[in-house]
Amino acid sequence: MTLPAVVGYYEPWWVQVIKALVIFVVALSLVPAVLLAERKLLGRLQSRYGPNRVGPFGALQPLADILKLLTKEQFRPTTSVGFLFAIAPVISILTAVAAFAIIPFGDTQDIFGTRVGLYGIDVSIGPLYVLAFGAIAFYGIMLGGWSSGSKYSFLGAMRGAAQLISYEVSQGLALLGVLFSAQTLSLTGIVHAQAGMWYFVPQLVGFLIFLVAGFAETNRAPFDLTEADAELVGGYNTEFGGGRFASYYFAEYLNVVVVSGITTTIFLGGWLLPFGLNPPGWVDPIVVLVKLSLVTFLFIWVRATLPRLRYDQLMSFGWKVLLPLATLNALVTAIVVVATH
């Protein structure tokens, strides 16, 4: 039995199963690595010690944090809606993993005589697929706040939903310039279209808009208003503890990796190297991971540098600055593409 792949060839069903397992393993490995890197880098950037007690150089600190959360007692408020309260964190994780599956870590390679794409799936609607699962992730936050039976949690979920919807519009429009230029919606096709020049050069405005909107979409500083503990106790996840809180925590950091991966793929040439270098295929995933790590470092650097915005500033910036810029960038790119073809 074989399953048709959108990339134009057939992969055996067992390859699809193995790739699904690899995606979960890679995702589960990257999140603790990002957690450790963030805590170490924040310590350096803020002139203090990071984790240095658990394991060599504090390397086992993320594992200790995860085990601590998973071994805590599960509880929920008496006013909560049980099933939705339990399913909300699961939605956040599943949508993050589904979006991670589309990030290409390389082109198709011959592995033990079988042609395998170094990605989960290569759908013909790549950016739309990512935006769709980003929209579904909204329900993880909204249901988490509403099902808690707490007004503070519900207020946190409402402002989180408004933030996600606001910046998702600008993020989608920022991609239009790339799509006009590449003439394809396939993420592997977009990488191949950057063989001459990575798109962050001609699409610098779109790149910056996408990156800033990515900070807001992943609830990272200075846009971490969904968890503004100074005003809302803990935001939408106030009533969550133990493994359920760990699920939200995991999903947030995996979303950072996803945005970094999509940025790498669409604007930074994916697995392509500069100066026409063409290394062996096994180098492609390493190139993607290095670029992805650099973008993730930028997320951490910004968190250590910028203070949190007020909510009115956040919404004004999204609708009055990013949205007009993204629209103008798409319009100018469309005119240039039509004029040069």
PDB file of all heavy atoms in Angstrom, residues 22-23 26-27 30 99-109 117-121 187-188 191 257-258 261 264-265 270-272 281-290 292:
ATOM      1  N   VAL A  22       9.303  10.646  13.953  1.00  0.00           N
ATOM      2  CA  VAL A  22      10.501  11.496  13.999  1.00  0.00           C
ATOM      3  C   VAL A  22      10.120  12.938  14.316  1.00  0.00           C
ATOM      4  O   VAL A  22      10.809  13.627  15.079  1.00  0.00           O
ATOM      5  CB  VAL A  22      11.266  11.409  12.665  1.00  0.00           C
ATOM      6  CG1 VAL A  22      12.346  12.493  12.592  1.00  0.00           C
ATOM      7  CG2 VAL A  22      11.887  10.030  12.499  1.00  0.00           C
ATOM      8  N   ILE A  23       9.009  13.400  13.750  1.00  0.00           N
ATOM      9  CA  ILE A  23       8.555  14.775  14.002  1.00  0.00           C
ATOM     10  C   ILE A  23       8.295  14.983  15.487  1.00  0.00           C
ATOM     11  O   ILE A  23       8.721  15.980  16.081  1.00  0.00           O
ATOM     12  CB  ILE A  23       7.298  15.082  13.171  1.00  0.00           C
ATOM     13  CG1 ILE A  23       7.673  15.257  11.701  1.00  0.00           C
ATOM     14  CG2 ILE A  23       6.601  16.355  13.679  1.00  0.00           C
ATOM     15  CD1 ILE A  23       6.483  15.303  10.772  1.00  0.00           C
ATOM     16  N   VAL A  26      11.701  14.948  17.365  1.00  0.00           N
ATOM     17  CA  VAL A  26      12.456  16.191  17.151  1.00  0.00           C
ATOM     18  C   VAL A  26      11.814  17.344  17.923  1.00  0.00           C
ATOM     19  O   VAL A  26      12.505  18.140  18.566  1.00  0.00           O
ATOM     20  CB  VAL A  26      12.537  16.516  15.646  1.00  0.00           C
ATOM     21  CG1 VAL A  26      13.140  17.902  15.429  1.00  0.00           C
ATOM     22  CG2 VAL A  26      13.364  15.468  14.924  1.00  0.00           C
ATOM     23  N   ALA A  27      10.475  17.423  17.861  1.00  0.00           N
ATOM     24  CA  ALA A  27       9.777  18.486  18.578  1.00  0.00           C
ATOM     25  C   ALA A  27      10.008  18.367  20.084  1.00  0.00           C
ATOM     26  O   ALA A  27      10.283  19.363  20.765  1.00  0.00           O
ATOM     27  CB  ALA A  27       8.282  18.449  18.268  1.00  0.00           C
ATOM     28  N   LEU A  30      13.600  19.520  20.758  1.00  0.00           N
ATOM     29  CA  LEU A  30      13.925  20.923  20.541  1.00  0.00           C
ATOM     30  C   LEU A  30      13.415  21.819  21.659  1.00  0.00           C
ATOM     31  O   LEU A  30      14.081  22.785  22.042  1.00  0.00           O
ATOM     32  CB  LEU A  30      13.351  21.394  19.198  1.00  0.00           C
ATOM     33  CG  LEU A  30      14.107  20.964  17.945  1.00  0.00           C
ATOM     34  CD1 LEU A  30      13.379  21.435  16.700  1.00  0.00           C
ATOM     35  CD2 LEU A  30      15.527  21.508  17.954  1.00  0.00           C
ATOM     36  N   ALA A  99       1.702  22.191  12.713  1.00  0.00           N
ATOM     37  CA  ALA A  99       2.401  23.252  11.984  1.00  0.00           C
ATOM     38  C   ALA A  99       3.884  22.926  11.835  1.00  0.00           C
ATOM     39  O   ALA A  99       4.487  23.212  10.795  1.00  0.00           O
ATOM     40  CB  ALA A  99       2.220  24.588  12.705  1.00  0.00           C
ATOM     41  N   PHE A 100       4.466  22.300  12.859  1.00  0.00           N
ATOM     42  CA  PHE A 100       5.882  21.925  12.795  1.00  0.00           C
ATOM     43  C   PHE A 100       6.135  20.901  11.685  1.00  0.00           C
ATOM     44  O   PHE A 100       7.208  20.880  11.076  1.00  0.00           O
ATOM     45  CB  PHE A 100       6.322  21.358  14.146  1.00  0.00           C
ATOM     46  CG  PHE A 100       7.769  20.977  14.224  1.00  0.00           C
ATOM     47  CD1 PHE A 100       8.751  21.949  14.344  1.00  0.00           C
ATOM     48  CD2 PHE A 100       8.160  19.647  14.172  1.00  0.00           C
ATOM     49  CE1 PHE A 100      10.090  21.605  14.414  1.00  0.00           C
ATOM     50  CE2 PHE A 100       9.492  19.291  14.243  1.00  0.00           C
ATOM     51  CZ  PHE A 100      10.466  20.273  14.363  1.00  0.00           C
ATOM     52  N   ALA A 101       5.132  20.064  11.404  1.00  0.00           N
ATOM     53  CA  ALA A 101       5.289  18.991  10.421  1.00  0.00           C
ATOM     54  C   ALA A 101       5.527  19.506   9.016  1.00  0.00           C
ATOM     55  O   ALA A 101       6.039  18.763   8.164  1.00  0.00           O
ATOM     56  CB  ALA A 101       4.047  18.090  10.433  1.00  0.00           C
ATOM     57  N   ILE A 102       5.182  20.734   8.735  1.00  0.00           N
ATOM     58  CA  ILE A 102       5.295  21.254   7.372  1.00  0.00           C
ATOM     59  C   ILE A 102       6.643  21.918   7.113  1.00  0.00           C
ATOM     60  O   ILE A 102       6.982  22.220   5.962  1.00  0.00           O
ATOM     61  CB  ILE A 102       4.156  22.249   7.079  1.00  0.00           C
ATOM     62  CG1 ILE A 102       3.924  22.374   5.575  1.00  0.00           C
ATOM     63  CG2 ILE A 102       4.422  23.598   7.697  1.00  0.00           C
ATOM     64  CD1 ILE A 102       2.745  23.241   5.208  1.00  0.00           C
ATOM     65  N   ILE A 103       7.451  22.131   8.153  1.00  0.00           N
ATOM     66  CA  ILE A 103       8.751  22.789   7.976  1.00  0.00           C
ATOM     67  C   ILE A 103       9.701  21.841   7.248  1.00  0.00           C
ATOM     68  O   ILE A 103       9.985  20.743   7.734  1.00  0.00           O
ATOM     69  CB  ILE A 103       9.351  23.194   9.325  1.00  0.00           C
ATOM     70  CG1 ILE A 103       8.449  24.204  10.035  1.00  0.00           C
ATOM     71  CG2 ILE A 103      10.748  23.773   9.147  1.00  0.00           C
ATOM     72  CD1 ILE A 103       8.887  24.540  11.438  1.00  0.00           C
ATOM     73  N   PRO A 104      10.204  22.221   6.076  1.00  0.00           N
ATOM     74  CA  PRO A 104      11.140  21.346   5.355  1.00  0.00           C
ATOM     75  C   PRO A 104      12.566  21.488   5.881  1.00  0.00           C
ATOM     76  O   PRO A 104      13.103  22.588   5.953  1.00  0.00           O
ATOM     77  CB  PRO A 104      11.034  21.833   3.902  1.00  0.00           C
ATOM     78  CG  PRO A 104      10.639  23.263   4.011  1.00  0.00           C
ATOM     79  CD  PRO A 104       9.854  23.420   5.289  1.00  0.00           C
ATOM     80  N   PHE A 105      13.176  20.361   6.252  1.00  0.00           N
ATOM     81  CA  PHE A 105      14.564  20.356   6.709  1.00  0.00           C
ATOM     82  C   PHE A 105      15.514  19.948   5.589  1.00  0.00           C
ATOM     83  O   PHE A 105      16.699  19.719   5.822  1.00  0.00           O
ATOM     84  CB  PHE A 105      14.723  19.409   7.900  1.00  0.00           C
ATOM     85  CG  PHE A 105      14.184  19.968   9.181  1.00  0.00           C
ATOM     86  CD1 PHE A 105      12.834  19.874   9.477  1.00  0.00           C
ATOM     87  CD2 PHE A 105      15.012  20.605  10.079  1.00  0.00           C
ATOM     88  CE1 PHE A 105      12.324  20.400  10.653  1.00  0.00           C
ATOM     89  CE2 PHE A 105      14.519  21.141  11.257  1.00  0.00           C
ATOM     90  CZ  PHE A 105      13.165  21.035  11.547  1.00  0.00           C
ATOM     91  N   GLY A 106      15.000  19.833   4.381  1.00  0.00           N
ATOM     92  CA  GLY A 106      15.815  19.476   3.235  1.00  0.00           C
ATOM     93  C   GLY A 106      14.930  19.020   2.103  1.00  0.00           C
ATOM     94  O   GLY A 106      13.703  18.903   2.236  1.00  0.00           O
ATOM     95  N   ASP A 107      15.555  18.760   0.965  1.00  0.00           N
ATOM     96  CA  ASP A 107      14.821  18.268  -0.199  1.00  0.00           C
ATOM     97  C   ASP A 107      14.662  16.759  -0.086  1.00  0.00           C
ATOM     98  O   ASP A 107      15.026  16.155   0.920  1.00  0.00           O
ATOM     99  CB  ASP A 107      15.578  18.644  -1.473  1.00  0.00           C
ATOM    100  CG  ASP A 107      14.641  18.819  -2.652  1.00  0.00           C
ATOM    101  OD1 ASP A 107      13.491  18.348  -2.564  1.00  0.00           O
ATOM    102  OD2 ASP A 107      15.052  19.425  -3.653  1.00  0.00           O
ATOM    103  N   THR A 108      14.134  16.121  -1.128  1.00  0.00           N
ATOM    104  CA  THR A 108      14.013  14.665  -1.120  1.00  0.00           C
ATOM    105  C   THR A 108      15.400  14.038  -1.230  1.00  0.00           C
ATOM    106  O   THR A 108      16.249  14.496  -1.985  1.00  0.00           O
ATOM    107  CB  THR A 108      13.138  14.188  -2.287  1.00  0.00           C
ATOM    108  OG1 THR A 108      13.683  14.683  -3.510  1.00  0.00           O
ATOM    109  CG2 THR A 108      11.715  14.687  -2.126  1.00  0.00           C
ATOM    110  N   GLN A 109      15.630  12.992  -0.447  1.00  0.00           N
ATOM    111  CA  GLN A 109      16.914  12.300  -0.430  1.00  0.00           C
ATOM    112  C   GLN A 109      16.699  10.799  -0.570  1.00  0.00           C
ATOM    113  O   GLN A 109      15.645  10.280  -0.224  1.00  0.00           O
ATOM    114  CB  GLN A 109      17.663  12.584   0.886  1.00  0.00           C
ATOM    115  CG  GLN A 109      17.921  14.045   1.161  1.00  0.00           C
ATOM    116  CD  GLN A 109      18.887  14.665   0.185  1.00  0.00           C
ATOM    117  OE1 GLN A 109      19.724  13.990  -0.401  1.00  0.00           O
ATOM    118  NE2 GLN A 109      18.778  15.985  -0.004  1.00  0.00           N
ATOM    119  N   GLY A 117      11.258  12.604   1.531  1.00  0.00           N
ATOM    120  CA  GLY A 117      11.337  14.046   1.724  1.00  0.00           C
ATOM    121  C   GLY A 117      11.685  14.361   3.157  1.00  0.00           C
ATOM    122  O   GLY A 117      11.111  13.777   4.087  1.00  0.00           O
ATOM    123  N   LEU A 118      12.639  15.268   3.352  1.00  0.00           N
ATOM    124  CA  LEU A 118      13.066  15.617   4.709  1.00  0.00           C
ATOM    125  C   LEU A 118      12.109  16.644   5.314  1.00  0.00           C
ATOM    126  O   LEU A 118      12.490  17.752   5.704  1.00  0.00           O
ATOM    127  CB  LEU A 118      14.502  16.146   4.684  1.00  0.00           C
ATOM    128  CG  LEU A 118      15.557  15.168   4.154  1.00  0.00           C
ATOM    129  CD1 LEU A 118      16.948  15.785   4.269  1.00  0.00           C
ATOM    130  CD2 LEU A 118      15.500  13.837   4.896  1.00  0.00           C
ATOM    131  N   TYR A 119      10.858  16.270   5.377  1.00  0.00           N
ATOM    132  CA  TYR A 119       9.793  17.086   5.963  1.00  0.00           C
ATOM    133  C   TYR A 119       8.623  16.171   6.235  1.00  0.00           C
ATOM    134  O   TYR A 119       8.561  15.036   5.728  1.00  0.00           O
ATOM    135  CB  TYR A 119       9.376  18.210   4.998  1.00  0.00           C
ATOM    136  CG  TYR A 119       9.280  17.775   3.559  1.00  0.00           C
ATOM    137  CD1 TYR A 119       8.206  17.019   3.103  1.00  0.00           C
ATOM    138  CD2 TYR A 119      10.287  18.085   2.654  1.00  0.00           C
ATOM    139  CE1 TYR A 119       8.131  16.597   1.797  1.00  0.00           C
ATOM    140  CE2 TYR A 119      10.226  17.664   1.346  1.00  0.00           C
ATOM    141  CZ  TYR A 119       9.145  16.920   0.921  1.00  0.00           C
ATOM    142  OH  TYR A 119       9.073  16.487  -0.373  1.00  0.00           O
ATOM    143  N   GLY A 120       7.694  16.639   7.055  1.00  0.00           N
ATOM    144  CA  GLY A 120       6.519  15.815   7.324  1.00  0.00           C
ATOM    145  C   GLY A 120       5.636  15.700   6.098  1.00  0.00           C
ATOM    146  O   GLY A 120       5.368  14.610   5.592  1.00  0.00           O
ATOM    147  N   ILE A 121       5.187  16.829   5.598  1.00  0.00           N
ATOM    148  CA  ILE A 121       4.359  16.888   4.405  1.00  0.00           C
ATOM    149  C   ILE A 121       4.721  18.138   3.614  1.00  0.00           C
ATOM    150  O   ILE A 121       5.205  19.113   4.178  1.00  0.00           O
ATOM    151  CB  ILE A 121       2.839  16.916   4.741  1.00  0.00           C
ATOM    152  CG1 ILE A 121       2.537  18.009   5.759  1.00  0.00           C
ATOM    153  CG2 ILE A 121       2.351  15.573   5.218  1.00  0.00           C
ATOM    154  CD1 ILE A 121       1.066  18.167   6.065  1.00  0.00           C
ATOM    155  N   LEU A 187       6.182  25.038   0.249  1.00  0.00           N
ATOM    156  CA  LEU A 187       7.324  25.565   0.996  1.00  0.00           C
ATOM    157  C   LEU A 187       8.645  25.097   0.389  1.00  0.00           C
ATOM    158  O   LEU A 187       9.626  25.853   0.363  1.00  0.00           O
ATOM    159  CB  LEU A 187       7.234  25.156   2.465  1.00  0.00           C
ATOM    160  CG  LEU A 187       6.098  25.791   3.277  1.00  0.00           C
ATOM    161  CD1 LEU A 187       6.222  25.443   4.748  1.00  0.00           C
ATOM    162  CD2 LEU A 187       6.065  27.304   3.102  1.00  0.00           C
ATOM    163  N   THR A 188       8.702  23.864  -0.101  1.00  0.00           N
ATOM    164  CA  THR A 188       9.929  23.413  -0.766  1.00  0.00           C
ATOM    165  C   THR A 188      10.137  24.191  -2.067  1.00  0.00           C
ATOM    166  O   THR A 188      11.267  24.513  -2.436  1.00  0.00           O
ATOM    167  CB  THR A 188       9.883  21.911  -1.050  1.00  0.00           C
ATOM    168  OG1 THR A 188       8.706  21.606  -1.811  1.00  0.00           O
ATOM    169  CG2 THR A 188       9.865  21.115   0.236  1.00  0.00           C
ATOM    170  N   VAL A 191      11.629  27.536  -1.219  1.00  0.00           N
ATOM    171  CA  VAL A 191      13.067  27.428  -0.953  1.00  0.00           C
ATOM    172  C   VAL A 191      13.833  27.367  -2.267  1.00  0.00           C
ATOM    173  O   VAL A 191      14.844  28.056  -2.452  1.00  0.00           O
ATOM    174  CB  VAL A 191      13.369  26.184  -0.084  1.00  0.00           C
ATOM    175  CG1 VAL A 191      14.878  25.979   0.026  1.00  0.00           C
ATOM    176  CG2 VAL A 191      12.764  26.341   1.299  1.00  0.00           C
ATOM    177  N   VAL A 257       9.556  27.763  17.947  1.00  0.00           N
ATOM    178  CA  VAL A 257      10.354  26.982  16.998  1.00  0.00           C
ATOM    179  C   VAL A 257       9.685  26.966  15.631  1.00  0.00           C
ATOM    180  O   VAL A 257      10.352  27.085  14.592  1.00  0.00           O
ATOM    181  CB  VAL A 257      10.549  25.541  17.527  1.00  0.00           C
ATOM    182  CG1 VAL A 257      11.260  24.675  16.486  1.00  0.00           C
ATOM    183  CG2 VAL A 257      11.343  25.543  18.820  1.00  0.00           C
ATOM    184  N   VAL A 258       8.348  26.831  15.602  1.00  0.00           N
ATOM    185  CA  VAL A 258       7.617  26.801  14.339  1.00  0.00           C
ATOM    186  C   VAL A 258       7.777  28.123  13.590  1.00  0.00           C
ATOM    187  O   VAL A 258       8.082  28.140  12.388  1.00  0.00           O
ATOM    188  CB  VAL A 258       6.119  26.489  14.584  1.00  0.00           C
ATOM    189  CG1 VAL A 258       5.300  26.737  13.313  1.00  0.00           C
ATOM    190  CG2 VAL A 258       5.952  25.055  15.043  1.00  0.00           C
ATOM    191  N   GLY A 261      11.160  28.345  12.236  1.00  0.00           N
ATOM    192  CA  GLY A 261      11.321  27.465  11.086  1.00  0.00           C
ATOM    193  C   GLY A 261      10.662  28.007   9.834  1.00  0.00           C
ATOM    194  O   GLY A 261      11.228  27.925   8.732  1.00  0.00           O
ATOM    195  N   THR A 264      12.757  30.851   8.563  1.00  0.00           N
ATOM    196  CA  THR A 264      13.929  30.298   7.889  1.00  0.00           C
ATOM    197  C   THR A 264      13.587  29.810   6.492  1.00  0.00           C
ATOM    198  O   THR A 264      14.313  30.056   5.527  1.00  0.00           O
ATOM    199  CB  THR A 264      14.510  29.136   8.716  1.00  0.00           C
ATOM    200  OG1 THR A 264      14.953  29.630   9.976  1.00  0.00           O
ATOM    201  CG2 THR A 264      15.666  28.468   7.995  1.00  0.00           C
ATOM    202  N   THR A 265      12.444  29.124   6.365  1.00  0.00           N
ATOM    203  CA  THR A 265      12.051  28.543   5.082  1.00  0.00           C
ATOM    204  C   THR A 265      11.678  29.608   4.062  1.00  0.00           C
ATOM    205  O   THR A 265      12.115  29.562   2.906  1.00  0.00           O
ATOM    206  CB  THR A 265      10.855  27.591   5.284  1.00  0.00           C
ATOM    207  OG1 THR A 265      11.227  26.562   6.205  1.00  0.00           O
ATOM    208  CG2 THR A 265      10.421  26.977   3.969  1.00  0.00           C
ATOM    209  N   GLY A 270      15.856  28.496   3.629  1.00  0.00           N
ATOM    210  CA  GLY A 270      15.736  27.103   4.052  1.00  0.00           C
ATOM    211  C   GLY A 270      17.089  26.433   4.185  1.00  0.00           C
ATOM    212  O   GLY A 270      17.973  26.891   4.915  1.00  0.00           O
ATOM    213  N   TRP A 271      17.273  25.331   3.464  1.00  0.00           N
ATOM    214  CA  TRP A 271      18.517  24.563   3.545  1.00  0.00           C
ATOM    215  C   TRP A 271      19.595  25.082   2.588  1.00  0.00           C
ATOM    216  O   TRP A 271      20.691  24.536   2.524  1.00  0.00           O
ATOM    217  CB  TRP A 271      18.248  23.089   3.254  1.00  0.00           C
ATOM    218  CG  TRP A 271      17.685  22.846   1.875  1.00  0.00           C
ATOM    219  CD1 TRP A 271      18.384  22.711   0.714  1.00  0.00           C
ATOM    220  CD2 TRP A 271      16.308  22.726   1.528  1.00  0.00           C
ATOM    221  NE1 TRP A 271      17.533  22.509  -0.337  1.00  0.00           N
ATOM    222  CE2 TRP A 271      16.252  22.501   0.123  1.00  0.00           C
ATOM    223  CE3 TRP A 271      15.122  22.767   2.252  1.00  0.00           C
ATOM    224  CZ2 TRP A 271      15.050  22.331  -0.560  1.00  0.00           C
ATOM    225  CZ3 TRP A 271      13.926  22.607   1.572  1.00  0.00           C
ATOM    226  CH2 TRP A 271      13.894  22.388   0.187  1.00  0.00           C
ATOM    227  N   LEU A 272      19.305  26.150   1.827  1.00  0.00           N
ATOM    228  CA  LEU A 272      20.275  26.683   0.868  1.00  0.00           C
ATOM    229  C   LEU A 272      21.385  27.448   1.577  1.00  0.00           C
ATOM    230  O   LEU A 272      21.144  28.140   2.565  1.00  0.00           O
ATOM    231  CB  LEU A 272      19.581  27.613  -0.133  1.00  0.00           C
ATOM    232  CG  LEU A 272      18.473  26.994  -0.994  1.00  0.00           C
ATOM    233  CD1 LEU A 272      17.879  28.047  -1.909  1.00  0.00           C
ATOM    234  CD2 LEU A 272      19.008  25.821  -1.801  1.00  0.00           C
ATOM    235  N   GLY A 281      23.399  16.099   0.752  1.00  0.00           N
ATOM    236  CA  GLY A 281      22.040  16.219   1.270  1.00  0.00           C
ATOM    237  C   GLY A 281      21.934  16.100   2.773  1.00  0.00           C
ATOM    238  O   GLY A 281      21.045  16.714   3.386  1.00  0.00           O
ATOM    239  N   TRP A 282      22.849  15.325   3.401  1.00  0.00           N
ATOM    240  CA  TRP A 282      22.736  15.135   4.854  1.00  0.00           C
ATOM    241  C   TRP A 282      23.062  16.419   5.626  1.00  0.00           C
ATOM    242  O   TRP A 282      22.770  16.525   6.815  1.00  0.00           O
ATOM    243  CB  TRP A 282      23.640  14.005   5.325  1.00  0.00           C
ATOM    244  CG  TRP A 282      25.110  14.213   5.052  1.00  0.00           C
ATOM    245  CD1 TRP A 282      25.813  13.797   3.957  1.00  0.00           C
ATOM    246  CD2 TRP A 282      26.057  14.891   5.888  1.00  0.00           C
ATOM    247  NE1 TRP A 282      27.133  14.177   4.044  1.00  0.00           N
ATOM    248  CE2 TRP A 282      27.312  14.840   5.221  1.00  0.00           C
ATOM    249  CE3 TRP A 282      25.970  15.540   7.116  1.00  0.00           C
ATOM    250  CZ2 TRP A 282      28.458  15.416   5.762  1.00  0.00           C
ATOM    251  CZ3 TRP A 282      27.110  16.107   7.650  1.00  0.00           C
ATOM    252  CH2 TRP A 282      28.333  16.039   6.981  1.00  0.00           C
ATOM    253  N   VAL A 283      23.656  17.410   4.929  1.00  0.00           N
ATOM    254  CA  VAL A 283      23.977  18.685   5.578  1.00  0.00           C
ATOM    255  C   VAL A 283      22.745  19.581   5.669  1.00  0.00           C
ATOM    256  O   VAL A 283      22.682  20.471   6.530  1.00  0.00           O
ATOM    257  CB  VAL A 283      25.109  19.400   4.800  1.00  0.00           C
ATOM    258  CG1 VAL A 283      25.445  20.749   5.420  1.00  0.00           C
ATOM    259  CG2 VAL A 283      26.347  18.528   4.745  1.00  0.00           C
ATOM    260  N   ASP A 284      21.748  19.360   4.803  1.00  0.00           N
ATOM    261  CA  ASP A 284      20.577  20.239   4.744  1.00  0.00           C
ATOM    262  C   ASP A 284      19.895  20.433   6.103  1.00  0.00           C
ATOM    263  O   ASP A 284      19.626  21.581   6.495  1.00  0.00           O
ATOM    264  CB  ASP A 284      19.568  19.698   3.724  1.00  0.00           C
ATOM    265  CG  ASP A 284      20.092  19.794   2.290  1.00  0.00           C
ATOM    266  OD1 ASP A 284      21.139  20.424   2.098  1.00  0.00           O
ATOM    267  OD2 ASP A 284      19.453  19.236   1.386  1.00  0.00           O
ATOM    268  N   PRO A 285      19.564  19.361   6.854  1.00  0.00           N
ATOM    269  CA  PRO A 285      18.917  19.581   8.159  1.00  0.00           C
ATOM    270  C   PRO A 285      19.775  20.390   9.127  1.00  0.00           C
ATOM    271  O   PRO A 285      19.242  21.165   9.928  1.00  0.00           O
ATOM    272  CB  PRO A 285      18.688  18.151   8.688  1.00  0.00           C
ATOM    273  CG  PRO A 285      18.689  17.290   7.471  1.00  0.00           C
ATOM    274  CD  PRO A 285      19.670  17.932   6.538  1.00  0.00           C
ATOM    275  N   ILE A 286      21.108  20.234   9.048  1.00  0.00           N
ATOM    276  CA  ILE A 286      21.998  20.990   9.934  1.00  0.00           C
ATOM    277  C   ILE A 286      21.924  22.474   9.602  1.00  0.00           C
ATOM    278  O   ILE A 286      21.859  23.331  10.496  1.00  0.00           O
ATOM    279  CB  ILE A 286      23.444  20.470   9.802  1.00  0.00           C
ATOM    280  CG1 ILE A 286      23.511  19.000  10.209  1.00  0.00           C
ATOM    281  CG2 ILE A 286      24.397  21.306  10.647  1.00  0.00           C
ATOM    282  CD1 ILE A 286      24.870  18.359   9.990  1.00  0.00           C
ATOM    283  N   VAL A 287      21.899  22.796   8.301  1.00  0.00           N
ATOM    284  CA  VAL A 287      21.797  24.196   7.873  1.00  0.00           C
ATOM    285  C   VAL A 287      20.500  24.810   8.386  1.00  0.00           C
ATOM    286  O   VAL A 287      20.486  25.926   8.921  1.00  0.00           O
ATOM    287  CB  VAL A 287      21.878  24.295   6.334  1.00  0.00           C
ATOM    288  CG1 VAL A 287      21.621  25.737   5.875  1.00  0.00           C
ATOM    289  CG2 VAL A 287      23.234  23.817   5.834  1.00  0.00           C
ATOM    290  N   VAL A 288      19.384  24.078   8.236  1.00  0.00           N
ATOM    291  CA  VAL A 288      18.091  24.589   8.694  1.00  0.00           C
ATOM    292  C   VAL A 288      18.097  24.792  10.202  1.00  0.00           C
ATOM    293  O   VAL A 288      17.616  25.816  10.705  1.00  0.00           O
ATOM    294  CB  VAL A 288      16.952  23.621   8.277  1.00  0.00           C
ATOM    295  CG1 VAL A 288      15.635  24.064   8.893  1.00  0.00           C
ATOM    296  CG2 VAL A 288      16.826  23.565   6.762  1.00  0.00           C
ATOM    297  N   LEU A 289      18.656  23.838  10.947  1.00  0.00           N
ATOM    298  CA  LEU A 289      18.688  23.954  12.412  1.00  0.00           C
ATOM    299  C   LEU A 289      19.534  25.144  12.864  1.00  0.00           C
ATOM    300  O   LEU A 289      19.193  25.816  13.833  1.00  0.00           O
ATOM    301  CB  LEU A 289      19.221  22.656  13.023  1.00  0.00           C
ATOM    302  CG  LEU A 289      18.245  21.472  13.055  1.00  0.00           C
ATOM    303  CD1 LEU A 289      18.954  20.208  13.518  1.00  0.00           C
ATOM    304  CD2 LEU A 289      17.059  21.771  13.966  1.00  0.00           C
ATOM    305  N   VAL A 290      20.638  25.421  12.155  1.00  0.00           N
ATOM    306  CA  VAL A 290      21.481  26.561  12.522  1.00  0.00           C
ATOM    307  C   VAL A 290      20.727  27.870  12.293  1.00  0.00           C
ATOM    308  O   VAL A 290      20.697  28.758  13.160  1.00  0.00           O
ATOM    309  CB  VAL A 290      22.798  26.541  11.719  1.00  0.00           C
ATOM    310  CG1 VAL A 290      23.549  27.855  11.902  1.00  0.00           C
ATOM    311  CG2 VAL A 290      23.674  25.378  12.159  1.00  0.00           C
ATOM    312  N   LEU A 292      17.465  28.240  12.086  1.00  0.00           N
ATOM    313  CA  LEU A 292      16.344  28.253  13.024  1.00  0.00           C
ATOM    314  C   LEU A 292      16.809  28.691  14.407  1.00  0.00           C
ATOM    315  O   LEU A 292      16.135  29.472  15.088  1.00  0.00           O
ATOM    316  CB  LEU A 292      15.714  26.862  13.068  1.00  0.00           C
ATOM    317  CG  LEU A 292      14.438  26.618  13.867  1.00  0.00           C
ATOM    318  CD1 LEU A 292      13.634  25.476  13.236  1.00  0.00           C
ATOM    319  CD2 LEU A 292      14.746  26.248  15.312  1.00  0.00           C
TER     320      LEU A 292
END
